[in-house]
Amino acid sequence: MTQDYMQVLTNTCVKPNPTMSSSEHQTFCSEPMRGKPVTAIPGIGEVAGAQLQAQGFPKATDVLGKYLTMRENPDDFQGWLKEVCGANATQLEDCYNAMREWCQHNL
């Protein structure tokens, strides 16, 4: 990764939410993602999960792939997520933070 790209990531990352110590978030970030349904992602409930499934994203790894192809950009990823499943601001932040932290711990 270039230094310029690292600077962009550092400057654009969403600050951790105080609720990120939830057991759901901790469990999600500490375990392998393979095989988990999209609703296992913090911030993605049944309604948003159904919308994501309908759009071809039934698994947590599918959403991770989208996150990575968007170069981990919070604005792009959250904008896509809002468009695809109508997630609210809290859901967008929770999902983004879960993806970011999972990648930090597992990639």
Side-chain angles (χ1 to χ4, degrees):
M1 233 180 264
T2 66
Q3 188 173 3
D4 291 337
Y5 182 66
M6 288 300 296
Q7 186 66 34
V8 168
L9 284 178
T10 302
N11 290 336
T12 61
C13 283
V14 173
K15 302 295 183 227
N17 183 330
T19 62
M20 287 291 91
S21 61
S22 75
S23 62
E24 178 187 22
H25 179 86
Q26 290 175 349
T27 300
F28 179 80
C29 292
S30 67
E31 296 179 346
M33 201 182 296
R34 178 169 282 150
K36 288 187 178 184
V38 71
T39 53
I41 303 170
I44 304 300
E46 293 301 319
V47 174
Q51 291 292 326
L52 284 162
Q53 289 174 15
Q55 294 293 320
F57 298 90
K59 301 288 184 188
T61 51
D62 297 324
V63 175
L64 173 65
K66 190 68 172 178
Y67 170 79
L68 292 172
T69 61
M70 294 184 154
R71 298 184 180 209
E72 304 175 25
N73 181 290
D75 294 330
D76 291 346
F77 179 71
Q78 290 177 346
W80 167 79
L81 194 60
K82 184 175 184 172
E83 182 178 314
V84 169
C85 69
N88 65 36
T90 300
Q91 292 170 313
L92 295 172
E93 187 174 336
D94 287 350
C95 183
Y96 172 78
N97 284 328
M99 289 290 135
R100 181 175 52 89
E101 189 172 326
W102 189 93
C103 288
Q104 289 171 346
H105 290 279
N106 296 284
L107 296 182

